[in-house]
Amino acid sequence: MIIITEINDLKKIYKRRVPKMFYDYAETGSWTGQTFIENSSDFKKIRLRQRVAVDIENKTTESTMIGRKVRMPVALAPVGLTGMQHANGEILAAKAAETFGVPYTLSTMSVCSIEDVAQNTETPFWFQLYVMRDEDFIKNLISRAKAAECEALLLTLDLQILGQRHKDLKNGLSTPPKLTLPVLVDLLTKWRWGIKMLKTNRRSFGNIVGHAKNVNDVSSLQDWTAKQFDPRLNWETVKKYRKQWDGKFVLKGILDADDARKALDVGADAIIVSNHGGRQLDGALSSIRSLPQIIDAVGNKIEVHIDGGIRSGQDVLKALALGAVGTYIGRAYTYGLGALGQQGVESALEIIHKELETTMALCGEKSVTNLTKNNLLIPKDFFNNYV
Ligand SMILES: Cc1cc2nc3c(=O)[nH]c(=O)nc-3n(C[C@H](O)[C@H](O)[C@H](O)COP(=O)(O)O)c2cc1C
């Protein structure tokens, strides 16, 4: 029995319980995995300034993200196929976020549909949109998100074309999995997962099947998604979708100061500094290294959020101290979900919260909103050694 005290404990249980195909899908980056690895390892290079004899009673991690009050500025990032990591995964993750007091973001590529998540939760969630060629389908998705009272639309900009992830090709990733011999052998040891999956009818892409033209079954869906991501996406398209959404609008996947400046013209409420968790352009800089140049360029004009590599409350603190107003976790909560369902996601959030609160206190700060670069010790060449 593992006593759960850190995110890595959840990851160990997750690895034992979830089919290899879906574990590999989450725990991978594109090509060599350099950006995926550095997203996390770069956080470790930044050190913390210990301060003493500061009154730290009544400390708080509360803050806001695009106007929403949060128990800590850590939202759940959109993660496709969450419902394959655990039966009804999106609903369980959304409930965990609701219980804990942070926003949940539902992916376009989710298993549970927008309506499903809305019916099973009370707090408005956020919806992530991929731009696809089928404009009617996108319009309809936006209307469905409005009808479900989603509070924010996050438009993902870094996936006009899919980065290659070797493991997915080698494993023949599919939803639900095709029952080949290696998959069947693997499933024998993942019986908990299998029993729960048999008890739910949510086993396909809930936002797409039955809503997109000519997609009624799963086999045609594989072809459809491969062809659907729209390579023509440009800033005019972004402006067009901004106009169709009257709630909060967030641009996800910005890694360059020039793009951050362009994002200002769109009228977005926030941008997310992100490289899709190292799953798209391998060799891109880690999110944390990219953050300061973007804060310098637009930090006083728009709310800047960040994701990528966050596995602890200390990582969250470092991102906030460098100027991010909010952060997101993707894999850190997916580990919890695959390990223990809703309780596992709550556990991931509690772990990160405790680490954030304790670290903040030992740095001599009482509120996450007061954190600055002053709380950090940053190697001299950390940000400026690339030209
Ligand atoms: C398994 C997996 C699936 C993902 N699916 C989506 C998605 O459907 N839409 C999206 O915008 N980002 C997606 N992402 C990227 C996340 O939203 C987020 O940017 C990333 O997970 C952050 O890095 P982290 O996992 O190290 O926290 C996915 C990430 C993972 C790990």
Side-chain angles (χ1 to χ4, degrees):
M1 245 258 307
I2 298 179
I3 297 171
I4 298 163
T5 58
E6 56 171 330
I7 294 292
N8 212 26
D9 295 329
L10 292 168
K11 185 172 166 186
K12 284 182 199 153
I13 306 173
Y14 166 58
K15 188 170 187 187
R16 284 206 309 255
R17 294 197 169 174
V18 174
K20 180 175 182 306
M21 179 185 288
F22 298 115
Y23 173 85
D24 282 352
Y25 168 63
E27 198 54 21
T28 197
S30 52
W31 285 323
T32 69
Q34 180 182 31
T35 301
F36 165 51
I37 292 163
E38 288 182 2
N39 267 348
S40 288
S41 62
D42 277 351
F43 270 109
K44 294 207 168 61
K45 295 182 182 139
I46 301 173
R47 308 297 288 265
L48 299 160
R49 241 180 110 193
Q50 170 179 309
R51 300 302 304 275
V52 295
V54 180
D55 176 358
I56 46 161
E57 201 166 58
N58 302 324
K59 54 193 178 311
T60 176
T61 60
E62 277 179 20
S63 179
T64 57
M65 286 173 77
I66 48 168
R68 162 99 161 250
K69 218 172 159 219
V70 290
R71 193 169 142 208
M72 65 177 173
V74 182
L76 302 193
V79 170
L81 301 195
T82 305
M84 283 290 125
Q85 303 290 356
H86 190 287
N88 308 322
E90 289 88 1
I91 293 174
L92 300 184
K95 282 183 166 201
E98 184 169 52
T99 307
F100 182 88
V102 292
Y104 172 72
T105 317
L106 182 72
S107 161
T108 296
M109 305 307 290
S110 59
V111 173
C112 304
S113 66
I114 301 176
E115 294 76 13
D116 250 355
V117 176
Q119 273 156 23
N120 287 283
T121 51
E122 274 159 30
T123 318
F125 56 97
W126 297 354
F127 182 67
Q128 174 266 328
L129 185 70
Y130 277 127
V131 176
M132 311 231 178
R133 284 181 187 270
D134 182 345
E135 281 198 35
D136 291 340
F137 170 68
I138 297 289
K139 268 194 190 143
N140 186 247
L141 258 186
I142 293 179
S143 308
R144 290 168 61 198
K146 271 186 204 164
E149 297 179 4
C150 290
E151 191 180 42
L153 190 72
L154 274 70
L155 188 69
T156 298
L157 299 176
D158 58 6
L159 206 141
Q160 279 160 282
I161 184 174
L162 193 68
Q164 178 168 316
R165 304 152 198 168
H166 300 308
K167 287 181 189 169
D168 292 350
L169 297 175
K170 292 186 164 112
N171 289 330
L173 176 73
S174 65
T175 308
K178 288 201 184 69
L179 297 179
T180 58
L181 189 63
V183 169
L184 279 171
V185 171
D186 181 44
L187 283 182
L188 284 178
T189 62
K190 312 287 166 54
W191 52 271
R192 257 180 245 269
W193 179 93
I195 289 171
K196 291 200 177 94
M197 239 359 131
L198 285 174
K199 287 191 191 152
T200 181
N201 53 10
R202 300 181 182 103
R203 288 195 289 258
S204 190
F205 291 94
N207 289 330
I208 298 171
V209 176
H211 295 279
K213 272 178 251 145
N214 307 326
V215 181
N216 298 312
D217 69 22
V218 183
S219 51
S220 62
L221 184 66
Q222 302 296 332
D223 287 347
W224 184 83
T225 40
K227 289 184 202 130
Q228 268 300 320
F229 289 102
D230 192 348
R232 299 163 304 177
L233 167 62
N234 59 54
W235 287 106
E236 291 312 308
T237 333
V238 176
K239 282 181 195 156
K240 186 174 79 187
Y241 288 120
R242 202 302 157 241
K243 283 195 192 117
Q244 290 182 25
W245 180 259
D246 34 23
K248 301 282 181 183
F249 191 72
V250 180
L251 296 174
K252 176 172 186 283
I254 297 207
L255 209 61
D256 192 279
D258 285 344
D259 287 337
R261 283 186 205 98
K262 287 192 176 143
L264 291 178
D265 299 335
V266 175
D269 296 283
I271 56 170
I272 309 177
V273 175
S274 171
N275 48 38
H276 217 99
R279 299 164 74 78
Q280 285 295 98
L281 179 62
D282 189 34
L285 277 193
S286 66
S287 302
I288 194 66
R289 259 190 216 251
S290 308
L291 179 66
Q293 47 139 346
I294 292 178
I295 294 282
D296 286 350
V298 301
N300 55 355
K301 299 193 179 85
I302 193 168
E303 214 171 290
V304 178
H305 299 173
I306 184 173
D307 74 21
I310 295 175
R311 302 286 183 271
S312 72
Q314 294 215 324
D315 296 341
V316 172
L317 182 137
K318 289 170 186 174
L320 299 176
L322 284 174
V325 170
T327 67
Y328 298 74
I329 49 171
R331 294 180 182 87
Y333 90 79
T334 304
Y335 302 156
L337 180 76
L340 298 165
Q342 179 176 341
Q343 190 203 330
V345 180
E346 285 174 30
S347 174
L349 287 166
E350 292 294 351
I351 288 168
I352 287 178
H353 180 253
K354 192 167 180 202
E355 290 165 345
L356 173 62
E357 195 178 49
T358 306
T359 306
M360 183 176 81
L362 293 173
C363 287
E365 296 291 348
K366 286 209 302 196
S367 166
V368 288
T369 56
N370 289 343
L371 295 165
T372 65
K373 263 190 211 161
N374 231 343
N375 299 112
L376 306 177
L377 297 164
I378 306 169
K380 282 208 173 74
D381 61 352
F382 187 69
F383 298 116
N384 301 323
N385 56 354
Y386 290 95
V387 287

